[in-house]
Amino acid sequence: MSQDASRDRVFARSLKEIKAFEFDESVADVFHDMISRSVPGYPLLLRLTGLFAGIFIQPNSRVYDLGCSLGEATTIIASQSAHSKPEIIAIDNSPAMIEKCRQIDPARSNIEWRCDDVRNIRIENASMVVLNLTLQFLPPDDRVEMLENIVQGLNPGGILFMSEKVVFEQESENKRMVQLYQAFKKSMGYSDLEISQKRTALEN
């Protein structure tokens, strides 16, 4: 795929109807560019995921990457924990994402790429669970139950590695953070139209 073809143009043209955001094939094809230009510090987040994996993953335990998208964090975890030989279970509910994950390195026998809803996964014998920008896509009423499931399945000394969007108590703070975030996206080459339409799709 050419560099131009893999550039995120999903919301570049004016849409008559903006549907709820989906991780479909059109998004999966450009997701690396999309997340790199949409999440401040994303490369650092991946590096930190690997550093934590190298320290906290226990021998013969499980690692869960809940909402693995294109599997970037999963493959870094696998590389950083080869000495521990964990069973790595990477879950995403997008068939397009999981299909691309399965093409990464079929020879890695300790990674199971699973297309499923993360709420269906029972966490067991886990020394590390990763929730990178996943919880926001669950209904608020399901989030505590998801976290309780993780805590119950963590081994002593195990960790939950989570990054997430937050909402501040003061509306003025929220507005300021939205302004800063939109300015960041514009600095990464997104137009006002793209920013507005994607935000509407996500809110839907």
Side-chain angles (χ1 to χ4, degrees):
M1 182 181 294
S2 68
Q3 183 174 357
D4 184 64
S6 62
R7 188 167 177 82
D8 176 20
R9 304 282 296 169
V10 174
F11 294 97
R13 62 181 179 86
S14 182
L15 302 173
K16 291 182 180 179
E17 179 185 2
I18 302 177
K19 299 178 181 179
F21 186 85
E22 293 183 32
F23 292 95
D24 56 17
E25 189 171 349
S26 66
V27 170
D29 286 342
V30 299
F31 187 74
H32 179 76
D33 180 66
M34 177 184 286
I35 197 166
S36 297
R37 292 198 289 142
S38 299
V39 178
Y42 185 66
L44 176 60
L45 175 62
L46 291 176
R47 286 184 59 195
L48 290 173
T49 304
L51 290 174
F52 275 73
I55 294 173
F56 287 97
I57 292 179
Q58 303 159 359
N60 303 313
S61 66
R62 287 179 174 175
V63 177
Y64 294 83
D65 187 358
L66 303 176
C68 64
S69 62
L70 291 183
E72 289 182 295
T74 305
T75 54
I76 289 173
I77 289 169
S79 297
Q80 294 296 318
S81 62
H83 61 288
S84 302
K85 298 181 179 179
E87 178 186 356
I88 303 174
I89 302 171
I91 302 102
D92 203 283
N93 69 350
S94 165
M97 291 288 194
I98 291 296
E99 179 59 32
K100 288 187 177 296
C101 287
R102 288 172 176 157
Q103 298 170 14
I104 293 174
D105 185 0
R108 284 191 183 274
S109 59
N110 68 323
I111 300 178
E112 177 188 351
W113 303 107
R114 189 183 300 180
C115 187
D116 205 342
D117 188 317
V118 296
R119 291 169 292 185
N120 296 334
I121 307 303
R122 183 177 179 181
I123 307 300
E124 297 178 307
N125 185 31
S127 58
M128 183 174 186
V129 177
V130 177
L131 267 179
N132 278 338
L133 301 170
T134 299
L135 208 60
Q136 62 180 308
F137 291 103
L138 299 184
D141 290 344
D142 293 349
R143 295 173 189 174
V144 172
E145 185 177 351
M146 178 82 257
L147 293 172
E148 288 176 345
N149 176 34
I150 292 170
V151 170
Q152 291 170 4
L154 280 174
N155 295 338
I159 62 164
L160 166 61
F161 185 95
M162 186 174 78
S163 60
E164 196 49 84
K165 292 181 178 180
V166 296
V167 176
F168 292 96
E169 291 185 4
Q170 292 187 339
E171 184 58 29
S172 59
E173 279 190 282
N174 282 320
K175 288 183 178 179
R176 180 64 66 196
M177 295 308 295
V178 169
Q179 286 180 315
L180 288 169
Y181 182 50
Q182 290 180 342
F184 167 79
K185 294 186 77 169
K186 288 185 73 171
S187 75
M188 299 300 286
Y190 283 113
S191 67
D192 288 332
L193 177 65
E194 288 175 290
I195 294 169
S196 175
Q197 291 192 140
K198 184 178 180 183
R199 183 179 181 187
T200 299
L202 286 168
E203 289 175 346
N204 286 344

